[in-house]
Amino acid sequence: MSNKIGLKGRFFRGLKIGILVVPFLGLAACWSEQVAMPPDAPGVSRSEEYSFGSATQAEDWQATRKVLGQLEGRFGEKSMRILARNLASTTDPQTIKAYYAERLIHQAGWAEMPVSTFADKAWAFAFVSPNGKQVLAVAALDASESAGGIVPLNILTNLDEDKGSKG
């Protein structure tokens, strides 16, 4: 008889623990949700077509390709996307970085990841998710490469959604 009582006691203790643990697992699942693509930063705009000549395009692709190569090595070639944007040449690159840092580091717990453009006329930065599976990087030419007050800027990411604001 005491064996049956012991089994029932263990069962109900396990049930109590399960009742306490399940809500925490639900919260943990919510915390690990993937961050959506942040809206475009101030000074960043979209264009229907590429707004630059072939010389600028070559420099832009060289800088972007170097960053893309670093990211593909870590996150996989097939998962990365390039979102082409225009950047007002008067916009300070630190403003762009601070904008994404606020949304990714401060609000979602991401961390900065070192990247380099290996180019004299470009700059880049990247942020990686806490689980190390998502990335958002920005690569752009310096303002000295401006054509009509804008420079090319590329967002390199493996985030599923592109919810950037049209600008």
Side-chain angles (χ1 to χ4, degrees), residues 50-82:
Y50 194 76
S51 307
F52 307 95
S54 58
T56 301
Q57 184 178 19
E59 288 182 19
D60 177 33
W61 176 239
Q62 179 185 14
T64 300
R65 184 180 57 206
K66 298 295 184 183
V67 175
L68 183 62
Q70 294 168 69
L71 300 177
E72 286 176 341
R74 179 168 174 181
F75 299 98
E77 183 178 334
K78 303 265 189 234
S79 69
M80 297 304 303
R81 298 181 306 132
I82 300 173

Side-chain angles (χ1 to χ4, degrees), residues 8-9 11 15 21 29 50-51 60 85 96 115 117 126 129 141 162 165-166:
K8 283 182 182 178
F11 171 76
L15 187 60
V21 170
Y50 194 76
S51 307
D60 177 33
R85 302 289 194 263
I96 303 298
V115 292
T117 62
S129 65
L141 293 182
D162 179 12
S165 62
K166 299 215 180 221

